[in-house]
C-alpha cells in the first residue's frame, strides 16, 4: 500500500532530489499565482475534466497540494476513484511549507 500523506519536509526533500513527483496544486489560479512551489495548477472544480484528458500513468507518484490540505484531500479521493494508486496529500498544505521556509 502506498503512502497517502506526505509532510512538508518530505515534499521539499523530494522536490530537491532527482525524483520529482507529479504535483497538482488544486487552488484557484489567483492563489497559485500569489504563492506556489511549482506543479500543475488545476483548480479543484476543474480536476475531473483534467483527469479525463491527463496522460499520467495510474501508478505515477502524484502529490496534491492546496493551502491547508482540505481541498487537496478531496482531490486525492477523486484521483483515487479514477484508479490512481499513488496519490499523496500534502499534510498541512502550503502553510506547512511556508512555515519551514520562513524558519530557514
Amino acid at each position: 500500500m502506498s503512502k497517502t500523506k506526505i509532510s512538508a519536509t518530505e515534499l521539499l526533500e523530494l522536490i530537491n532530489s532527482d525524483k520529482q513527483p507529479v504535483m497538482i496544486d488544486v487552488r484557484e489560479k489567483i492563489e497559485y499565482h500569489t504563492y506556489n512551489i511549482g506543479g500543475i495548477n488545476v483548480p479543484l472544480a476543474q480536476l475531473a475534466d483534467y483527469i479525463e484528458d491527463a496522460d499520467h500513468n495510474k501508478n505515477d507518484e502524484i502529490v496534491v497540494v492546496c493551502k491547508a490540505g482540505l481541498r487537496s484531500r478531496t482531490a486525492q479521493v477523486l484521483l483515487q476513484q479514477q484508479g490512481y494508486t499513488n496519490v499523496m496529500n500534502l499534510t498541512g498544505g502550503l502553510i506547512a511549507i511556508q512555515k519551514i521556509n520562513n524558519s530557514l
Side-chain angles (χ1 to χ4, degrees):
M1 176 82 188
S2 318
K3 284 176 46 173
T4 58
K5 296 178 190 163
I6 187 167
S7 73
T9 305
E10 291 170 317
L11 180 56
L12 288 171
E13 287 171 3
L14 254 187
I15 290 170
N16 292 324
S17 76
D18 56 354
K19 298 179 291 200
Q20 282 282 347
V22 173
M23 233 178 0
I24 302 176
D25 187 323
V26 296
R27 298 172 302 150
E28 295 301 315
K29 291 196 182 312
I30 185 85
E31 294 174 277
Y32 180 80
H33 290 296
T34 302
Y35 174 80
N36 71 75
I37 56 169
I40 309 158
N41 180 219
V42 182
L44 185 56
Q46 298 165 19
L47 187 62
D49 292 337
Y50 172 79
I51 295 169
E52 285 180 22
D53 299 333
D55 58 355
H56 302 302
N57 183 304
K58 299 273 185 179
N59 299 317
D60 282 350
E61 186 172 62
I62 297 175
V63 178
V64 284
V65 301
C66 69
K67 183 177 178 183
L70 299 173
R71 284 176 281 183
S72 54
R73 175 68 185 117
T74 303
Q76 180 184 35
V77 170
L78 283 170
L79 286 161
Q80 289 168 334
Q81 288 171 343
Q82 294 300 316
Y84 287 86
T85 59
N86 195 6
V87 184
M88 292 180 283
N89 183 23
L90 173 59
T91 305
L94 291 172
I95 292 171
I97 297 274
Q98 286 177 305
K99 282 182 183 167
I100 291 172
N101 288 339
N102 290 340
S103 68
L104 295 177

